Amino acid sequence: MQIRPDDLLVVVDVQNDFCPGGALAVGEGDAVVPVINRLSQQFNHMVLTQDWHPAGHSSFATAHPGSAPFQTIITPYGEQTLWPDHCVQGTSGAAFHPQLATERAELAIRKGFRSQIDSYSAFFENDRRTPTGLAGYLRDRGLQRLFLVGLATDYCVHYSAVDARRLGFETIVVESGCRAIDLAGSLASAWSAMQQAGVQRIGDIS
Ligand code: VGL
Ligand code: ZN
């Protein structure tokens, strides 16, 4: 696929807690770093997202006595998976991977910072309607075609990609730049939801 001057690379949650040794480590999560660093050289536009939770966030199992990580609960905005404490604001776990080349990023958007609601997507919180502001930014800047990479394929990349399509952006997920958590078939269902939504899936960009 040919990269155009106004294509955007969206780098989702490449943070220490999602990498080996982190609080919510994704298998081979750090393997995306060299791939993303290479891709970033090919794009004129790059945006980062950063999972950024206050301590005691409602998506943490520790906020729900008697529950355990990876369990699902019902919240006012729907089902929510509970996670180990991760990406707490200001901690090293919430920092970008130290080898991630962030210099070329024109915007870093933080999400999940309201204690009562989680936010997987770069565009909407988990009620699927409260905007993060990213869509307005992209429209103002005239950026229309998005290439998504990062962590995790089946959660934040998946939700971001489906929402991007819903908002009318051309959306491509680059598989070599993603890794998944894969809880109970979540990776397969994420790919089918993305395909249904009209997200394109490519292996890599050479
Ligand atoms: C993510 C679970 C919880 C992600 C963030 O970045 O995919 N997953 N918070
Ligand atoms: Zn999170």
Side-chain angles (χ1 to χ4, degrees):
M1 191 164 306
Q2 197 65 42
I3 305 304
R4 304 177 196 144
D6 54 0
D7 284 343
L8 170 74
L9 184 66
V10 181
V11 178
V12 177
D13 296 1
V14 181
Q15 294 167 258
N16 291 323
D17 270 343
F18 298 122
C19 292
L24 179 42
V26 176
E28 302 181 339
D30 56 345
V32 305
V33 171
V35 177
I36 293 170
N37 289 349
R38 167 172 57 80
L39 293 180
S40 74
Q41 300 302 314
Q42 303 179 52
F43 284 81
N44 286 339
H45 301 281
M46 176 182 183
V47 165
L48 311 171
T49 72
Q50 189 172 27
D51 212 37
W52 193 250
H53 300 306
H57 189 258
S58 60
S59 74
F60 297 169
T62 53
H64 304 269
S67 69
F70 310 111
Q71 234 174 273
T72 300
I73 59 163
I74 305 297
T75 72
Y77 57 85
E79 283 194 2
Q80 171 69 49
T81 301
L82 297 178
W83 304 105
D85 290 23
H86 65 280
C87 296
V88 174
Q89 296 171 0
T91 63
S92 56
F96 294 116
H97 186 285
Q99 262 86 56
L100 182 70
T102 59
E103 307 78 43
R104 291 170 53 79
E106 56 192 60
L107 175 75
I109 190 143
R110 289 174 168 166
K111 60 186 182 61
F113 50 75
R114 289 185 187 86
S115 64
Q116 293 310 312
I117 186 166
D118 204 2
S119 186
Y120 294 152
S121 167
F123 294 97
F124 295 104
E125 303 199 34
N126 281 9
D127 60 3
R128 315 308 298 273
R129 32 182 312 149
T130 305
T132 63
L134 181 58
Y137 175 85
L138 298 181
R139 286 177 184 141
D140 274 358
R141 304 272 288 109
L143 304 173
Q144 209 288 124
R145 191 162 81 147
L146 279 45
F147 289 74
L148 272 72
V149 290
L151 306 171
T153 323
D154 40 350
Y155 288 92
C156 292
V157 174
H158 159 212
Y159 278 68
S160 299
V162 168
D163 284 344
R165 281 299 305 139
R166 187 152 66 95
L167 291 163
F169 296 100
E170 200 178 331
T171 311
I172 299 131
V173 172
V174 185
E175 227 179 324
S176 60
C178 300
R179 290 294 184 280
I181 296 174
D182 205 11
L183 281 183
S186 59
L187 181 59
S189 60
W191 280 123
S192 77
M194 288 191 275
Q195 186 178 28
Q196 287 256 314
V199 174
Q200 292 178 66
R201 170 182 181 173
I202 61 172
D204 199 0
I205 304 169
S206 50

